[in-house]
């Protein structure tokens, strides 16, 4: 028993001596289990207090280096790291218990849970959250290009790291500025700011694009938004669709799609979808499976809606999400010193 006690003390001494030389990765698998040392006498020494202290010191150093005040509050809000090392910000509303998660990689909102515990934002089961490719899901940024074009598909905003400029328990402001990587494909003097606010009854977002140079530039923008669905058979999408022309990208023979006219007041998904509804920006998702509706409130900038679903693709989890995207389809010409703003909020309600 004395030998066991000496062994335990030696191990503890080594841990104390080396603790300052290592940075503990917040929310890694290590933090989810108790580190224990057991002797034959069944005495258990738990090091949770030491681990918590190290985590707090690591995060505090990160915040101090970036000039950010709040790191993690008692209700779980703050800066966190997933199991692959990607940083994200968690917002928690102190009154309703609603929450949201926003990844710095891609500046993408990957979760919005209301006070009742209903998740409204989807991330596909085949998504990579290790930084190897854009996250397939969430409110994904398509900027400065939507779809294919002169630069890479959907632009670069979704596969670069955004910086945290400020955050509280219920809000975060992210910023994306030019880098060597972006300048190689798009050499413009821009500044993008994306703000997320977790309010009492909704999640509000704001995309601000500023031209910091003297020369004008053109861009497209979209939030390639993935929303959860209990099952596609339970979903209706309403809004001012009826009578509107739309581009059905999956129709036609030349691969460029075909203009069609929507005859329905409520849209259901029973086949593969890739449709651009210009001039429609008031979609409402009604899910009879959850008994809830989600209004997509596009109040500035976002003028159009794209509906997308890879119907039949089990690997993508097609039956449990639909993309109802907030889009500025026609290019915006932004003069030097000018700015553009896209405001979108998600407001849940009961059916």
């Amino acid at each position: 028993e004395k030998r066991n006690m000496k062994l335990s003390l030696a191990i503890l001494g080594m841990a104390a001596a080396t603790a300052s030389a290592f940075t503990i990765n917040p929310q890694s698998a290590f933090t989810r289990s108790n580190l224990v040392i057991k002797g034959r006498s069944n005495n258990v020494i738990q090091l949770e207090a030491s681990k918590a202290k190290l985590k707090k010191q690591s995060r505090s150093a990160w915040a101090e280096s970036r000039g950010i005040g709040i790191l993690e509050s008692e209700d779980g809000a703050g800066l966190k790291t997933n199991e692959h090392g990607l940083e994200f910000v968690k917002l928690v509303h102190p009154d309703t218990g609603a929450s949201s998660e926003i990844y710095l990689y891609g500046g993408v909102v990957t979760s919005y849970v209301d006070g009742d515990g209903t998740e409204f934002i989807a991330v596909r089961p085949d998504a990579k959250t290790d930084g190897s490719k854009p996250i397939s899901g969430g409110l994904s940024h398509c900027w400065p290009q939507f779809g294919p074009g002169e630069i890479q598909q959907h632009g670069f905003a979704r596969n670069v790291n955004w910086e945290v400029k400020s955050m509280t328990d219920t809000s975060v402001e992210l910023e994306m500025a030019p880098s060597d990587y972006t300048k190689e494909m798009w050499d413009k003097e821009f500044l993008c700011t994306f703000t997320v606010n977790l309010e009492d009854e909704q999640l509000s977002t704001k995309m601000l694009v500023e031209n910091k140079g003297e020369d004008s530039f053109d861009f497209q923008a979209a939030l390639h938004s993935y929303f959860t669905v209990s099952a596609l058979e339970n979903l209706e999408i309403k809004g001012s669709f009826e009578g509107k022309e739309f581009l059905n990208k999956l129709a036609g023979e030349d691969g460029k799609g075909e203009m069609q006219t929507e005859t329905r007041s409520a849209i259901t998904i029973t086949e593969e979808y890739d449709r651009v509804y210009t001039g429609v920006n008031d979609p409402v998702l009604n899910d009879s499976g959850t008994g809830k509706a989600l209004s997509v409130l596009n109040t500035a900038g976002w003028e159009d809606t794209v509906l997308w679903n890879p119907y039949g693709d089990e690997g993508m989890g097609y039956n449990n999400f639909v993309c109802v995207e907030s889009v500025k389809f026609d290019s915006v010409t932004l003069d030097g010193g000018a700015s553009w703003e896209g405001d979108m909020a998600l407001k849940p309600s009961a059916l």
Side-chain angles (χ1 to χ4, degrees), residues 70 98 114 130 149 193 214 258 267 282 284 322 343:
I70 181 174
D114 68 6
D130 57 5
T193 306
E214 297 180 356
E258 179 179 280
I267 295 175
D282 59 348
V284 179
V322 64
D343 295 348

Side-chain angles (χ1 to χ4, degrees), residues 20-135:
S20 60
F22 293 91
T23 300
I24 300 300
N25 190 13
Q27 276 203 264
S28 65
F30 175 79
T31 65
R32 296 185 182 186
S33 61
N34 292 333
L35 176 63
V36 298
I37 303 172
K38 295 183 178 181
R40 293 180 183 176
S41 60
N42 293 324
N43 290 328
V44 178
I45 303 172
Q46 298 192 5
L47 302 182
E48 290 302 313
S50 297
K51 290 192 299 176
K53 183 177 180 180
L54 286 171
K55 287 196 298 181
K56 187 174 181 180
Q57 289 174 345
S58 175
R59 292 174 178 172
S60 296
W62 186 98
E64 185 177 352
S65 68
R66 291 161 173 79
I68 301 169
I70 181 174
L71 246 324
E72 185 171 349
S73 62
E74 293 181 357
D75 58 9
L79 179 75
K80 299 178 181 293
T81 307
N82 75 0
E83 64 270 25
H84 302 297
L86 286 189
E87 295 172 324
F88 66 96
V89 174
K90 183 171 184 178
L91 308 179
V92 178
H93 197 284
D95 299 325
T96 66
S99 65
S100 181
E101 294 180 0
I102 306 95
Y103 272 79
L104 276 58
Y105 180 71
V108 56
V109 182
T110 57
S111 174
Y112 171 42
V113 178
D114 68 6
D116 297 331
T118 302
E119 174 67 81
F120 290 98
I121 295 180
V123 175
R124 283 177 7 203
D126 62 336
K128 300 294 185 182
T129 57
D130 57 5
S132 61
K133 60 182 295 188
I135 296 173

Side-chain angles (χ1 to χ4, degrees), residues 150-161:
E150 296 181 359
I151 62 175
Q152 65 189 26
Q153 174 88 356
H154 290 324
F156 50 74
R158 64 188 188 140
N159 65 291
V160 299
N161 284 309

Side-chain angles (χ1 to χ4, degrees), residues 126-306:
D126 62 336
K128 300 294 185 182
T129 57
D130 57 5
S132 61
K133 60 182 295 188
I135 296 173
S136 299
L139 309 183
S140 182
H141 291 285
C142 300
W143 195 90
Q145 179 179 289
F146 180 57
E150 296 181 359
I151 62 175
Q152 65 189 26
Q153 174 88 356
H154 290 324
F156 50 74
R158 64 188 188 140
N159 65 291
V160 299
N161 284 309
W162 294 56
E163 291 190 4
V164 177
K165 302 306 294 182
S166 65
M167 64 179 177
T168 69
D169 279 2
T170 57
S171 69
V172 64
E173 182 182 56
L174 303 179
E175 184 177 276
M176 176 182 64
S179 65
D180 291 341
Y181 172 74
T182 66
K183 288 178 180 179
E184 286 182 1
M185 66 183 91
W186 204 69
D187 190 12
K188 311 296 180 184
E189 295 298 322
F190 69 88
L191 182 66
C192 291
T193 306
F194 186 58
T195 306
V196 182
N197 283 301
L198 183 61
E199 302 175 10
D200 289 350
E201 297 181 349
Q202 66 183 33
L203 184 76
S204 298
T205 70
K206 182 187 298 293
M207 174 70 162
L208 176 65
V209 180
E210 298 176 84
N211 185 343
K212 293 296 187 179
E214 297 180 356
D215 299 329
S216 65
F217 59 72
D218 297 337
F219 70 89
Q220 291 174 293
L223 290 175
H224 198 306
S225 306
Y226 286 70
F227 296 117
T228 58
V229 177
S230 61
L232 286 178
E233 64 182 7
N234 298 329
L235 176 69
E236 283 190 339
I237 305 172
K238 294 189 174 181
S240 56
F241 294 96
E242 189 173 9
K244 299 293 178 61
E245 285 194 336
F246 66 92
L247 174 63
N248 187 344
K249 291 187 176 183
L250 302 179
E253 299 179 356
D254 59 359
K256 295 182 179 180
E258 179 179 280
M259 294 302 298
Q260 300 176 351
T261 301
E262 184 58 73
T263 60
R264 298 168 295 174
S265 59
I267 295 175
T268 55
I269 307 293
T270 57
E271 59 182 332
E272 188 177 357
Y273 259 60
D274 192 356
R275 304 184 179 190
V276 181
Y277 292 83
T278 55
V280 177
N281 67 349
D282 59 348
V284 179
L285 289 73
N286 294 328
D287 190 337
S288 62
T290 62
K292 291 196 173 184
L294 182 68
S295 297
V296 182
L297 306 176
N298 295 302
T299 54
W302 308 118
E303 299 176 354
D304 314 305
T305 296
V306 170

